[in-house]
C-alpha cells in the first residue's frame, strides 16, 4: 500500500517496520499458498481463495532492492518526530510482542 504510506505515517505516533529477509518472506508465502490453496485463509474474506501468484513472489524477491530503500528514506524523515521500531527477524518480533504484552 505504498500509495497511502505517507498518509498512514503522518497519522501514526509509532511506526513498526517488519524488515524480514526475502528468503523468510518467500518461504512463508509459499507455505501459505500450499496450505490454503483453493481455500480462503482465516485472515481473509470468504471467497478470496489462496492461489499461486508468481508476480507476488517476484515482487517479494525484488523488494529489498526496489522498495526497501525508499521506505528507509521515509522512515529516516520521520525519525525525529515518530517512534520508529525496525524488527529484522522473528526473534525480534517475538521479543517486541512479549514486551508489549507485559507493558
Amino acid at each position: 500500500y505504498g500509495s497511502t504510506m505517507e498518509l498512514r505515517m503522518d497519522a501514526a505516533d509509532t511506526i513498526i517496520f517488519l524488515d524480514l529477509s526475502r528468503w523468510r518472506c518467500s518461504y512463508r508465502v509459499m507455505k501459505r499458498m500450499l496450505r490454503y490453496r483453493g481455500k480462503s485463509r482465516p485472515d481473509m474474506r470468504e471467497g478470496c481463495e489462496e492461489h499461486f501468484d508468481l508476480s507476488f513472489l517476484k515482487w517479494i524477491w525484488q523488494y529489498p532492492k526496489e522498495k526497501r530503500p525508499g521506505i528507509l528514506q521515509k522512515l529516516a524523515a520521520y525519525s525525529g518526530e515518530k517512534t520508529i521500531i525496525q524488527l529484522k527477524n522473528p526473534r525480534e518480533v517475538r521479543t517486541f510482542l512479549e514486551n508489549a504484552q507485559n507493558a
Side-chain angles (χ1 to χ4, degrees):
Y1 305 115
S3 64
T4 63
M5 184 178 297
E6 288 183 30
L7 179 66
R8 291 179 285 127
M9 287 177 154
D10 284 341
D13 61 1
T14 302
I15 301 167
I16 301 170
F17 177 39
L18 298 177
D19 192 13
L20 304 174
S21 77
R22 70 174 75 175
W23 291 100
R24 184 171 310 281
C25 292
S26 298
Y27 168 75
R28 288 180 173 178
V29 165
M30 291 298 293
K31 186 176 166 183
R32 276 196 313 268
M33 286 179 186
L34 291 172
R35 182 173 182 194
Y36 294 106
R37 186 176 179 142
K39 298 184 275 187
S40 296
R41 294 192 328 244
D43 60 321
M44 299 291 285
R45 178 179 57 86
E46 190 63 36
C48 187
E49 295 180 351
E50 189 70 42
H51 63 280
F52 182 78
D53 190 338
L54 187 58
S55 64
F56 184 51
L57 287 171
K58 182 179 175 185
W59 186 90
I60 290 168
W61 200 254
Q62 294 173 338
Y63 171 87
K65 185 177 179 184
E66 294 185 3
K67 301 293 182 183
R68 185 178 180 272
I71 292 171
L72 292 175
Q73 250 183 336
K74 289 176 184 176
L75 291 173
Y78 285 98
S79 66
E81 60 188 276
K82 312 275 184 183
T83 301
I84 310 289
I85 301 168
Q86 186 173 358
L87 305 172
K88 295 185 177 187
N89 58 58
R91 181 180 35 82
E92 289 182 0
V93 173
R94 212 171 18 259
T95 299
F96 173 79
L97 292 173
E98 288 169 0
N99 290 338
Q101 286 177 339
N102 296 331

